[in-house]
Amino acid sequence: MHQIIIIGSGPAALTAGIYAARAGLAPLLFASSVEPGGELMNTTDVENFPGFPEGIQGPDLMEKIQAQAERFGTQVQYADVTDLDLEGDVKKVTTSDGTVHEARAVIFATGSAYRRLGLPDEDRLSGHGVSWCATCDGFFFREKTIAVVGGGDSAMEEATFLTRFADKVYVIHRRDELKASKIMQQRAHDNEKIEFIWNSAIEAIHGEGEVTGVTLRDTVTDETSELAIGGLFVAIGNDPRTHLVHGKLDLTEEGTIAVQGRTSKTSVAGVFAAGDVVDPHYRQAITAAASGTVAALDAEQYLASFDDK
């Protein structure tokens, strides 16, 4: 039986692995067999992670964090978790090959997934003009004309933030009114760099090495048109990866795992959550890593009290 099992492979999971391993808890970490490394694996230049003044490629950063976790004794297995039994003092984690792994504590750090448009060239141009994070990538779009897709608060925040860098920002929305809060709408409308394109959906993304434009379809008339842009930010929401704990852990209204205050403690003793799966707002690599630290420290304290009992 293991002391700790960590589920996930992004900054939160691997940082939890670093701290748990350094505490002598020999954590077993299950990384996805399909998409290990989290969202940073789809990011090119990362310039806002401390310690890398020249920036670093997303996959390289994840490789370094994983190497650090393994150096201290984190055992990484590329296997998909298919079921969890979190009741009682011994937690059971079942992987896709049917093997049941037991542990006294579980850290759940499966992250979140940005909602995609579902277009053929979306993934091909990811990191080459298509982005899901203005805070991460906005700097690379200085003096360009770009577009943001969406109509909620996150889209307005992205568009407003991007005006710091871009010469012009189009907001493309499939309806004729926004879902965003009034204050966020007003802020975007008042910004002279932002122009709204109403009743429009993106039909195709164009570009070879980088984004050069999109095809728009009018949702009222069904007519199509072309829009030349140098970047496309998709801001139609994101979904925390919580399907494994539905009905097993308490969730918030946003769909993230509910934790107690600033801790990582969930509604079940011995189960801790970290990273984007508990964070509906910031969703940054550095905040996820910090959250993983909290989870490992909370788990270490729990195991110490468990031994005392």
Side-chain angles (χ1 to χ4, degrees), residues 16-36:
I18 292 171
Y19 274 77
R22 291 187 76 251
L25 298 173
L28 171 61
L29 185 150
F30 287 115
S32 168
S33 64
V34 180
E35 294 180 322

Side-chain angles (χ1 to χ4, degrees), residues 288-300:
S291 181
T293 302
V294 171
L297 295 175
D298 285 343
E300 180 185 0

Side-chain angles (χ1 to χ4, degrees), residues 7 30 79-85 92-100 243-245 248:
I7 304 170
F30 287 115
D80 296 306
V81 174
T82 57
D83 191 38
L84 297 172
D85 182 353
K92 297 178 181 179
V93 178
T94 304
T95 50
S96 54
D97 62 359
T99 304
V100 178
H243 60 281
L244 284 172
V245 297
K248 299 175 182 180

